[in-house]
Amino acid sequence: MKVTAQWIAEQCGVSRGTVDRVVNGRPNVAPEVRERVQKMIHEYGYKTPSQRQAARVGQGAYRIGVILPSWDAFFIRRMREGIRVAVHNRGLNDVNVLVEELKNRSHRSYFEAIERLEGRGIDGLIVTAPDTLAMSEEIDRLVTAGIQVVTCDSDVRQSRRLYHIGQDMVKSGRVAAGLLAPYISGAEVLVVTGNREFTAHGLRVRGFLDRIYEIFGGDVNAHVIESVERYELTYDGVLQNLRKNPRLRGIYMANESVRGCMDALERAKPARRIHVVCHDVTPHARQYLEDGRLDFIIDQDFSAQTTRAIEMLAHTLRTGEPPRQQMEYIHTSIITRELL
C-alpha cells in the first residue's frame, strides 16, 4: 500500500491541508490533532515529496508527473511525442515521467489525477489547467509540499508555479485579426472561443479584439460566443450567427472545434464567402485548408512545449536552481494552403 497525505488524513479524520501543516511544522493545528497525525506518520513511514527528493539526490531518478488534458487525440499524441523526445533524445536518464490522462475537464478530475501522482511519489508536475482560484490553490499546496509545478500551454497566473511554457496567446490573437482584416472592413466578425477558464482562450480573444479595434475602430462589429470546445455548441452558435447576420464576413476559431464551424457553414450555404482563421494544424483543419474552406491556420508546436517543460523542470530538480525566466513563448507559425 502506498501511504499518501490523503490516506493519512482519512485515517486521522482530518483534511489533507491539516496533514500538510503538520508535516511542514506550520501552526494552527490543535495539539491533540498534531500528535495523532505525527503518530500515524511515524508508524507508517510517510515521507513528503521534498523528503523523498532529498533522499534521492545523487543516487536515483526524479519523478515528473504529466497531466494530459481531455483534448482531441491529435493534441494528446503531440504531447506524448514531446514526452518521448525529452526522455529518449535529450539525455534525461535520471528522470521518470509518469502520465495521467484526464477523461473530462472537471476540477475533480484534475485533483484526483494529482492525488494519484502524489501517491506515486512525484517530485514535479507538468499540467495544462484552467486558470481558476481552486487550481491556483491546488498548485500552491503542491509547491508548499515540495512539488514544483510547471504549466504548459495554458497558464495558472496567480499560482506559485515555477515556470510556464506556451504560445504567446495575445500575439496569436492579434495575428488572427491581421489575417482577417482585409476581408471584414465595414462588416461583422464572429469569434468562437472555447472555455475562458483556460488562460489561453481568453488571451487569444483579448488579442484579437484589441487588434481589430486598433485597425477599424467602430467600423467592425465583433461578436464572441463560447463553445466549451464542444462540437454541437460550436455548430449551433455558428449556424445561428450565419442565419441572423447577413453582414458576417469573417470567423475567428479561437478553439479546437473547427469541424463544428465548417459543418455549420456547409449547412447555411451563405451567399458570400465567409473567411475563417483557426488554430493548430489538426487533420481536420489541414483538410479544410487544402480544400480552400479555411484561409489560414495559426500553428504552435505542442510537442516542443512538452519537451521544454520536462527539460526545465528536470534542471530545477537536479540543481535546485529556478529557471532564469518564469515564462517562455514557443514559436508561432502562419500556415497557408501553399505551405502544406
Side-chain angles (χ1 to χ4, degrees):
M1 179 185 66
K2 185 72 175 179
V3 179
T4 66
Q6 182 61 42
W7 186 86
I8 294 287
E10 291 170 355
Q11 305 312 304
C12 295
V14 299
S15 70
R16 189 168 62 180
T18 297
V19 175
D20 288 338
R21 286 194 291 274
V22 171
V23 297
N24 289 288
R26 296 199 301 275
N28 301 322
V29 180
E32 64 275 14
V33 173
R34 187 180 298 274
E35 182 179 353
R36 187 163 73 248
V37 172
Q38 287 175 333
K39 181 179 178 181
M40 186 68 67
I41 289 170
H42 178 74
E43 182 177 347
Y44 286 92
Y46 171 71
K47 288 183 173 55
T48 67
S50 57
Q51 289 169 338
R52 290 194 299 269
Q53 179 180 331
R56 282 204 298 271
V57 170
Q59 61 180 7
Y62 298 100
R63 295 177 183 176
I64 293 177
V66 179
I67 295 181
L68 301 180
S70 178
W71 285 354
D72 183 88
F74 166 81
F75 300 102
I76 300 305
R77 286 196 299 271
R78 298 297 303 274
M79 294 180 79
R80 287 189 177 276
E81 178 186 330
I83 293 170
R84 286 193 296 271
V85 169
V87 172
H88 299 297
N89 297 353
R90 300 297 173 87
L92 302 182
N93 299 322
D94 58 346
V95 171
N96 287 330
V97 178
L98 312 177
V99 177
E100 287 279 345
E101 186 170 341
L102 302 184
K103 301 303 181 185
N104 60 64
R105 305 183 187 201
S106 69
H107 280 80
R108 180 177 179 179
S109 183
Y110 274 97
F111 296 158
E112 288 176 348
I114 290 170
E115 177 68 21
R116 289 192 295 270
L117 289 169
E118 283 188 278
R120 298 170 72 183
I122 59 169
D123 306 297
L125 177 69
I126 295 169
V127 63
T128 299
D131 188 11
T132 62
L133 177 61
M135 188 59 63
S136 180
E137 290 177 344
E138 181 70 355
I139 289 175
D140 290 354
R141 182 191 67 79
L142 291 170
V143 174
T144 299
I147 299 175
Q148 297 287 357
V149 180
V150 167
T151 57
C152 187
D153 182 64
S154 194
D155 200 5
V156 184
R157 291 170 290 182
Q158 300 304 312
S159 71
R160 294 168 56 198
R161 55 99 174 120
L162 176 73
Y163 169 80
H164 171 71
I165 175 75
Q167 189 180 48
D168 186 333
M169 297 299 175
V170 173
K171 181 182 288 186
S172 69
R174 292 177 65 85
V175 168
L179 293 172
L180 277 177
Y183 309 110
I184 61 174
S185 178
E188 298 197 7
V189 61
L190 176 65
V191 180
V192 186
T193 185
N195 183 346
R196 291 205 219 187
E197 284 189 337
F198 282 81
T199 307
H201 297 169
L203 292 180
R204 280 175 177 168
V205 173
R206 191 184 85 189
F208 181 87
L209 295 178
D210 285 350
R211 183 58 182 146
I212 282 292
Y213 293 131
E214 286 174 9
I215 296 171
F216 296 111
D219 194 36
V220 168
N221 183 28
H223 181 53
V224 181
I225 61 173
E226 189 170 356
S227 70
V228 201
E229 306 285 4
R230 289 169 55 183
Y231 168 90
E232 63 273 18
L233 291 179
T234 302
Y235 177 88
D236 291 343
V238 171
L239 186 61
Q240 182 181 16
N241 274 272
L242 287 167
R243 286 174 169 172
K244 74 178 184 181
N245 256 333
R247 295 178 64 247
L248 184 64
R249 295 291 178 267
I251 299 176
Y252 172 38
M253 287 298 303
N255 70 356
E256 66 187 61
S257 302
V258 65
R259 187 166 61 92
C261 172
M262 289 300 162
D263 286 353
L265 281 166
E266 181 68 22
R267 174 73 179 273
K269 292 183 169 49
R272 295 184 60 178
R273 167 76 184 271
I274 306 296
H275 298 275
V276 183
V277 172
C278 78
H279 286 270
D280 307 315
V281 187
T282 65
H284 279 116
R286 183 185 185 91
Q287 188 61 57
Y288 296 138
L289 189 62
E290 288 179 350
D291 294 344
R293 299 174 63 188
L294 263 177
D295 292 79
F296 302 97
I297 301 174
I298 302 170
D299 197 33
Q300 60 179 314
D301 193 336
F302 278 92
S303 176
Q305 286 184 60
T306 308
T307 298
R308 184 64 174 157
I310 294 172
E311 288 178 328
M312 294 299 290
L313 187 49
H315 174 78
T316 295
L317 293 176
R318 287 169 176 158
T319 66
E321 299 174 357
R324 294 182 180 179
Q325 54 189 21
Q326 291 189 338
M327 182 176 293
E328 183 177 346
Y329 291 131
I330 205 74
H331 179 68
T332 295
S333 303
I334 300 172
I335 309 299
T336 67
R337 184 179 182 183
E338 292 75 19
L339 291 174
L340 290 176

mmCIF file with all atom_site columns, all heavy atoms in Angstrom, residues 274-290:
data_model
loop_
_atom_site.group_PDB
_atom_site.id
_atom_site.type_symbol
_atom_site.label_atom_id
_atom_site.label_alt_id
_atom_site.label_comp_id
_atom_site.label_asym_id
_atom_site.label_entity_id
_atom_site.label_seq_id
_atom_site.pdbx_PDB_ins_code
_atom_site.Cartn_x
_atom_site.Cartn_y
_atom_site.Cartn_z
_atom_site.occupancy
_atom_site.B_iso_or_equiv
_atom_site.pdbx_formal_charge
_atom_site.auth_seq_id
_atom_site.auth_comp_id
_atom_site.auth_asym_id
_atom_site.auth_atom_id
_atom_site.pdbx_PDB_model_num
ATOM 1   N N   . ILE A 1 274 ? -17.366 33.368 -46.485 1.00 0.00 ? 274 ILE A N   1
ATOM 2   C CA  . ILE A 1 274 ? -17.027 33.678 -45.103 1.00 0.00 ? 274 ILE A CA  1
ATOM 3   C C   . ILE A 1 274 ? -15.577 33.237 -44.881 1.00 0.00 ? 274 ILE A C   1
ATOM 4   O O   . ILE A 1 274 ? -15.250 32.066 -45.069 1.00 0.00 ? 274 ILE A O   1
ATOM 5   C CB  . ILE A 1 274 ? -17.949 32.951 -44.106 1.00 0.00 ? 274 ILE A CB  1
ATOM 6   C CG1 . ILE A 1 274 ? -19.420 33.233 -44.412 1.00 0.00 ? 274 ILE A CG1 1
ATOM 7   C CG2 . ILE A 1 274 ? -17.589 33.348 -42.673 1.00 0.00 ? 274 ILE A CG2 1
ATOM 8   C CD1 . ILE A 1 274 ? -19.824 34.671 -44.253 1.00 0.00 ? 274 ILE A CD1 1
ATOM 9   N N   . HIS A 1 275 ? -14.720 34.159 -44.529 1.00 0.00 ? 275 HIS A N   1
ATOM 10  C CA  . HIS A 1 275 ? -13.304 33.860 -44.341 1.00 0.00 ? 275 HIS A CA  1
ATOM 11  C C   . HIS A 1 275 ? -13.062 33.380 -42.913 1.00 0.00 ? 275 HIS A C   1
ATOM 12  O O   . HIS A 1 275 ? -13.580 33.965 -41.947 1.00 0.00 ? 275 HIS A O   1
ATOM 13  C CB  . HIS A 1 275 ? -12.466 35.088 -44.649 1.00 0.00 ? 275 HIS A CB  1
ATOM 14  C CG  . HIS A 1 275 ? -12.606 35.554 -46.065 1.00 0.00 ? 275 HIS A CG  1
ATOM 15  N ND1 . HIS A 1 275 ? -11.857 35.037 -47.104 1.00 0.00 ? 275 HIS A ND1 1
ATOM 16  C CD2 . HIS A 1 275 ? -13.449 36.468 -46.626 1.00 0.00 ? 275 HIS A CD2 1
ATOM 17  C CE1 . HIS A 1 275 ? -12.200 35.619 -48.233 1.00 0.00 ? 275 HIS A CE1 1
ATOM 18  N NE2 . HIS A 1 275 ? -13.171 36.490 -47.979 1.00 0.00 ? 275 HIS A NE2 1
ATOM 19  N N   . VAL A 1 276 ? -12.268 32.314 -42.790 1.00 0.00 ? 276 VAL A N   1
ATOM 20  C CA  . VAL A 1 276 ? -12.090 31.663 -41.492 1.00 0.00 ? 276 VAL A CA  1
ATOM 21  C C   . VAL A 1 276 ? -10.608 31.493 -41.181 1.00 0.00 ? 276 VAL A C   1
ATOM 22  O O   . VAL A 1 276 ? -9.823  31.037 -42.025 1.00 0.00 ? 276 VAL A O   1
ATOM 23  C CB  . VAL A 1 276 ? -12.776 30.279 -41.456 1.00 0.00 ? 276 VAL A CB  1
ATOM 24  C CG1 . VAL A 1 276 ? -12.646 29.651 -40.061 1.00 0.00 ? 276 VAL A CG1 1
ATOM 25  C CG2 . VAL A 1 276 ? -14.252 30.395 -41.841 1.00 0.00 ? 276 VAL A CG2 1
ATOM 26  N N   . VAL A 1 277 ? -10.237 31.845 -39.952 1.00 0.00 ? 277 VAL A N   1
ATOM 27  C CA  . VAL A 1 277 ? -8.895  31.598 -39.421 1.00 0.00 ? 277 VAL A CA  1
ATOM 28  C C   . VAL A 1 277 ? -9.045  30.725 -38.179 1.00 0.00 ? 277 VAL A C   1
ATOM 29  O O   . VAL A 1 277 ? -9.929  30.975 -37.348 1.00 0.00 ? 277 VAL A O   1
ATOM 30  C CB  . VAL A 1 277 ? -8.184  32.915 -39.042 1.00 0.00 ? 277 VAL A CB  1
ATOM 31  C CG1 . VAL A 1 277 ? -6.871  32.636 -38.325 1.00 0.00 ? 277 VAL A CG1 1
ATOM 32  C CG2 . VAL A 1 277 ? -7.937  33.756 -40.280 1.00 0.00 ? 277 VAL A CG2 1
ATOM 33  N N   . CYS A 1 278 ? -8.207  29.698 -38.045 1.00 0.00 ? 278 CYS A N   1
ATOM 34  C CA  . CYS A 1 278 ? -8.270  28.833 -36.869 1.00 0.00 ? 278 CYS A CA  1
ATOM 35  C C   . CYS A 1 278 ? -6.859  28.578 -36.343 1.00 0.00 ? 278 CYS A C   1
ATOM 36  O O   . CYS A 1 278 ? -5.869  29.063 -36.902 1.00 0.00 ? 278 CYS A O   1
ATOM 37  C CB  . CYS A 1 278 ? -8.976  27.519 -37.182 1.00 0.00 ? 278 CYS A CB  1
ATOM 38  S SG  . CYS A 1 278 ? -7.963  26.312 -38.076 1.00 0.00 ? 278 CYS A SG  1
ATOM 39  N N   . HIS A 1 279 ? -6.774  27.796 -35.278 1.00 0.00 ? 279 HIS A N   1
ATOM 40  C CA  . HIS A 1 279 ? -5.504  27.434 -34.671 1.00 0.00 ? 279 HIS A CA  1
ATOM 41  C C   . HIS A 1 279 ? -5.220  25.944 -34.859 1.00 0.00 ? 279 HIS A C   1
ATOM 42  O O   . HIS A 1 279 ? -6.148  25.129 -34.856 1.00 0.00 ? 279 HIS A O   1
ATOM 43  C CB  . HIS A 1 279 ? -5.512  27.740 -33.172 1.00 0.00 ? 279 HIS A CB  1
ATOM 44  C CG  . HIS A 1 279 ? -5.408  29.199 -32.852 1.00 0.00 ? 279 HIS A CG  1
ATOM 45  N ND1 . HIS A 1 279 ? -4.201  29.835 -32.667 1.00 0.00 ? 279 HIS A ND1 1
ATOM 46  C CD2 . HIS A 1 279 ? -6.354  30.156 -32.712 1.00 0.00 ? 279 HIS A CD2 1
ATOM 47  C CE1 . HIS A 1 279 ? -4.414  31.115 -32.411 1.00 0.00 ? 279 HIS A CE1 1
ATOM 48  N NE2 . HIS A 1 279 ? -5.711  31.339 -32.440 1.00 0.00 ? 279 HIS A NE2 1
ATOM 49  N N   . ASP A 1 280 ? -3.936  25.617 -35.007 1.00 0.00 ? 280 ASP A N   1
ATOM 50  C CA  . ASP A 1 280 ? -3.414  24.256 -34.924 1.00 0.00 ? 280 ASP A CA  1
ATOM 51  C C   . ASP A 1 280 ? -3.740  23.404 -36.163 1.00 0.00 ? 280 ASP A C   1
ATOM 52  O O   . ASP A 1 280 ? -4.907  23.268 -36.553 1.00 0.00 ? 280 ASP A O   1
ATOM 53  C CB  . ASP A 1 280 ? -3.911  23.541 -33.660 1.00 0.00 ? 280 ASP A CB  1
ATOM 54  C CG  . ASP A 1 280 ? -3.640  24.359 -32.405 1.00 0.00 ? 280 ASP A CG  1
ATOM 55  O OD1 . ASP A 1 280 ? -2.519  24.870 -32.287 1.00 0.00 ? 280 ASP A OD1 1
ATOM 56  O OD2 . ASP A 1 280 ? -4.543  24.500 -31.565 1.00 0.00 ? 280 ASP A OD2 1
ATOM 57  N N   . VAL A 1 281 ? -2.676  22.817 -36.722 1.00 0.00 ? 281 VAL A N   1
ATOM 58  C CA  . VAL A 1 281 ? -2.808  22.006 -37.930 1.00 0.00 ? 281 VAL A CA  1
ATOM 59  C C   . VAL A 1 281 ? -3.246  20.592 -37.553 1.00 0.00 ? 281 VAL A C   1
ATOM 60  O O   . VAL A 1 281 ? -2.480  19.629 -37.603 1.00 0.00 ? 281 VAL A O   1
ATOM 61  C CB  . VAL A 1 281 ? -1.490  21.976 -38.733 1.00 0.00 ? 281 VAL A CB  1
ATOM 62  C CG1 . VAL A 1 281 ? -1.713  21.270 -40.070 1.00 0.00 ? 281 VAL A CG1 1
ATOM 63  C CG2 . VAL A 1 281 ? -0.995  23.388 -38.998 1.00 0.00 ? 281 VAL A CG2 1
ATOM 64  N N   . THR A 1 282 ? -4.501  20.468 -37.139 1.00 0.00 ? 282 THR A N   1
ATOM 65  C CA  . THR A 1 282 ? -5.084  19.155 -36.873 1.00 0.00 ? 282 THR A CA  1
ATOM 66  C C   . THR A 1 282 ? -5.419  18.497 -38.210 1.00 0.00 ? 282 THR A C   1
ATOM 67  O O   . THR A 1 282 ? -5.461  19.172 -39.245 1.00 0.00 ? 282 THR A O   1
ATOM 68  C CB  . THR A 1 282 ? -6.353  19.288 -36.029 1.00 0.00 ? 282 THR A CB  1
ATOM 69  O OG1 . THR A 1 282 ? -7.340  19.989 -36.809 1.00 0.00 ? 282 THR A OG1 1
ATOM 70  C CG2 . THR A 1 282 ? -6.083  20.057 -34.727 1.00 0.00 ? 282 THR A CG2 1
ATOM 71  N N   . PRO A 1 283 ? -5.701  17.203 -38.230 1.00 0.00 ? 283 PRO A N   1
ATOM 72  C CA  . PRO A 1 283 ? -6.073  16.567 -39.501 1.00 0.00 ? 283 PRO A CA  1
ATOM 73  C C   . PRO A 1 283 ? -7.279  17.228 -40.169 1.00 0.00 ? 283 PRO A C   1
ATOM 74  O O   . PRO A 1 283 ? -7.291  17.416 -41.384 1.00 0.00 ? 283 PRO A O   1
ATOM 75  C CB  . PRO A 1 283 ? -6.385  15.124 -39.078 1.00 0.00 ? 283 PRO A CB  1
ATOM 76  C CG  . PRO A 1 283 ? -5.505  14.894 -37.883 1.00 0.00 ? 283 PRO A CG  1
ATOM 77  C CD  . PRO A 1 283 ? -5.493  16.201 -37.153 1.00 0.00 ? 283 PRO A CD  1
ATOM 78  N N   . HIS A 1 284 ? -8.297  17.587 -39.373 1.00 0.00 ? 284 HIS A N   1
ATOM 79  C CA  . HIS A 1 284 ? -9.465  18.249 -39.962 1.00 0.00 ? 284 HIS A CA  1
ATOM 80  C C   . HIS A 1 284 ? -9.095  19.613 -40.524 1.00 0.00 ? 284 HIS A C   1
ATOM 81  O O   . HIS A 1 284 ? -9.465  19.961 -41.659 1.00 0.00 ? 284 HIS A O   1
ATOM 82  C CB  . HIS A 1 284 ? -10.565 18.416 -38.901 1.00 0.00 ? 284 HIS A CB  1
ATOM 83  C CG  . HIS A 1 284 ? -11.367 17.186 -38.681 1.00 0.00 ? 284 HIS A CG  1
ATOM 84  N ND1 . HIS A 1 284 ? -11.383 16.508 -37.488 1.00 0.00 ? 284 HIS A ND1 1
ATOM 85  C CD2 . HIS A 1 284 ? -12.180 16.484 -39.509 1.00 0.00 ? 284 HIS A CD2 1
ATOM 86  C CE1 . HIS A 1 284 ? -12.166 15.468 -37.581 1.00 0.00 ? 284 HIS A CE1 1
ATOM 87  N NE2 . HIS A 1 284 ? -12.666 15.421 -38.794 1.00 0.00 ? 284 HIS A NE2 1
ATOM 88  N N   . ALA A 1 285 ? -8.366  20.414 -39.750 1.00 0.00 ? 285 ALA A N   1
ATOM 89  C CA  . ALA A 1 285 ? -8.003  21.761 -40.203 1.00 0.00 ? 285 ALA A CA  1
ATOM 90  C C   . ALA A 1 285 ? -7.150  21.686 -41.462 1.00 0.00 ? 285 ALA A C   1
ATOM 91  O O   . ALA A 1 285 ? -7.315  22.496 -42.387 1.00 0.00 ? 285 ALA A O   1
ATOM 92  C CB  . ALA A 1 285 ? -7.272  22.500 -39.090 1.00 0.00 ? 285 ALA A CB  1
ATOM 93  N N   . ARG A 1 286 ? -6.243  20.737 -41.497 1.00 0.00 ? 286 ARG A N   1
ATOM 94  C CA  . ARG A 1 286 ? -5.381  20.576 -42.674 1.00 0.00 ? 286 ARG A CA  1
ATOM 95  C C   . ARG A 1 286 ? -6.219  20.307 -43.926 1.00 0.00 ? 286 ARG A C   1
ATOM 96  O O   . ARG A 1 286 ? -5.982  20.899 -44.986 1.00 0.00 ? 286 ARG A O   1
ATOM 97  C CB  . ARG A 1 286 ? -4.394  19.438 -42.427 1.00 0.00 ? 286 ARG A CB  1
ATOM 98  C CG  . ARG A 1 286 ? -3.405  19.226 -43.563 1.00 0.00 ? 286 ARG A CG  1
ATOM 99  C CD  . ARG A 1 286 ? -2.534  18.005 -43.326 1.00 0.00 ? 286 ARG A CD  1
ATOM 100 N NE  . ARG A 1 286 ? -1.526  17.901 -44.354 1.00 0.00 ? 286 ARG A NE  1
ATOM 101 C CZ  . ARG A 1 286 ? -0.314  18.422 -44.300 1.00 0.00 ? 286 ARG A CZ  1
ATOM 102 N NH1 . ARG A 1 286 ? 0.049   19.097 -43.228 1.00 0.00 ? 286 ARG A NH1 1
ATOM 103 N NH2 . ARG A 1 286 ? 0.535   18.286 -45.281 1.00 0.00 ? 286 ARG A NH2 1
ATOM 104 N N   . GLN A 1 287 ? -7.206  19.416 -43.798 1.00 0.00 ? 287 GLN A N   1
ATOM 105 C CA  . GLN A 1 287 ? -8.051  19.087 -44.947 1.00 0.00 ? 287 GLN A CA  1
ATOM 106 C C   . GLN A 1 287 ? -8.868  20.289 -45.389 1.00 0.00 ? 287 GLN A C   1
ATOM 107 O O   . GLN A 1 287 ? -9.011  20.557 -46.592 1.00 0.00 ? 287 GLN A O   1
ATOM 108 C CB  . GLN A 1 287 ? -8.982  17.923 -44.591 1.00 0.00 ? 287 GLN A CB  1
ATOM 109 C CG  . GLN A 1 287 ? -9.769  17.387 -45.779 1.00 0.00 ? 287 GLN A CG  1
ATOM 110 C CD  . GLN A 1 287 ? -8.857  16.840 -46.872 1.00 0.00 ? 287 GLN A CD  1
ATOM 111 O OE1 . GLN A 1 287 ? -8.044  15.956 -46.623 1.00 0.00 ? 287 GLN A OE1 1
ATOM 112 N NE2 . GLN A 1 287 ? -8.971  17.381 -48.086 1.00 0.00 ? 287 GLN A NE2 1
ATOM 113 N N   . TYR A 1 288 ? -9.408  21.042 -44.434 1.00 0.00 ? 288 TYR A N   1
ATOM 114 C CA  . TYR A 1 288 ? -10.187 22.234 -44.782 1.00 0.00 ? 288 TYR A CA  1
ATOM 115 C C   . TYR A 1 288 ? -9.321  23.273 -45.488 1.00 0.00 ? 288 TYR A C   1
ATOM 116 O O   . TYR A 1 288 ? -9.778  23.948 -46.416 1.00 0.00 ? 288 TYR A O   1
ATOM 117 C CB  . TYR A 1 288 ? -10.800 22.853 -43.531 1.00 0.00 ? 288 TYR A CB  1
ATOM 118 C CG  . TYR A 1 288 ? -11.810 21.972 -42.821 1.00 0.00 ? 288 TYR A CG  1
ATOM 119 C CD1 . TYR A 1 288 ? -11.818 21.879 -41.429 1.00 0.00 ? 288 TYR A CD1 1
ATOM 120 C CD2 . TYR A 1 288 ? -12.750 21.239 -43.536 1.00 0.00 ? 288 TYR A CD2 1
ATOM 121 C CE1 . TYR A 1 288 ? -12.739 21.075 -40.771 1.00 0.00 ? 288 TYR A CE1 1
ATOM 122 C CE2 . TYR A 1 288 ? -13.670 20.426 -42.890 1.00 0.00 ? 288 TYR A CE2 1
ATOM 123 C CZ  . TYR A 1 288 ? -13.656 20.346 -41.507 1.00 0.00 ? 288 TYR A CZ  1
ATOM 124 O OH  . TYR A 1 288 ? -14.563 19.549 -40.858 1.00 0.00 ? 288 TYR A OH  1
ATOM 125 N N   . LEU A 1 289 ? -8.073  23.400 -45.061 1.00 0.00 ? 289 LEU A N   1
ATOM 126 C CA  . LEU A 1 289 ? -7.173  24.353 -45.710 1.00 0.00 ? 289 LEU A CA  1
ATOM 127 C C   . LEU A 1 289 ? -6.849  23.893 -47.126 1.00 0.00 ? 289 LEU A C   1
ATOM 128 O O   . LEU A 1 289 ? -6.830  24.691 -48.067 1.00 0.00 ? 289 LEU A O   1
ATOM 129 C CB  . LEU A 1 289 ? -5.895  24.511 -44.889 1.00 0.00 ? 289 LEU A CB  1
ATOM 130 C CG  . LEU A 1 289 ? -4.946  25.635 -45.315 1.00 0.00 ? 289 LEU A CG  1
ATOM 131 C CD1 . LEU A 1 289 ? -5.610  27.000 -45.196 1.00 0.00 ? 289 LEU A CD1 1
ATOM 132 C CD2 . LEU A 1 289 ? -3.665  25.601 -44.470 1.00 0.00 ? 289 LEU A CD2 1
ATOM 133 N N   . GLU A 1 290 ? -6.602  22.602 -47.291 1.00 0.00 ? 290 GLU A N   1
ATOM 134 C CA  . GLU A 1 290 ? -6.325  22.055 -48.627 1.00 0.00 ? 290 GLU A CA  1
ATOM 135 C C   . GLU A 1 290 ? -7.511  22.257 -49.561 1.00 0.00 ? 290 GLU A C   1
ATOM 136 O O   . GLU A 1 290 ? -7.342  22.531 -50.754 1.00 0.00 ? 290 GLU A O   1
ATOM 137 C CB  . GLU A 1 290 ? -5.998  20.568 -48.528 1.00 0.00 ? 290 GLU A CB  1
ATOM 138 C CG  . GLU A 1 290 ? -4.636  20.264 -47.930 1.00 0.00 ? 290 GLU A CG  1
ATOM 139 C CD  . GLU A 1 290 ? -4.366  18.768 -47.838 1.00 0.00 ? 290 GLU A CD  1
ATOM 140 O OE1 . GLU A 1 290 ? -5.314  17.977 -48.064 1.00 0.00 ? 290 GLU A OE1 1
ATOM 141 O OE2 . GLU A 1 290 ? -3.214  18.399 -47.532 1.00 0.00 ? 290 GLU A OE2 1
#
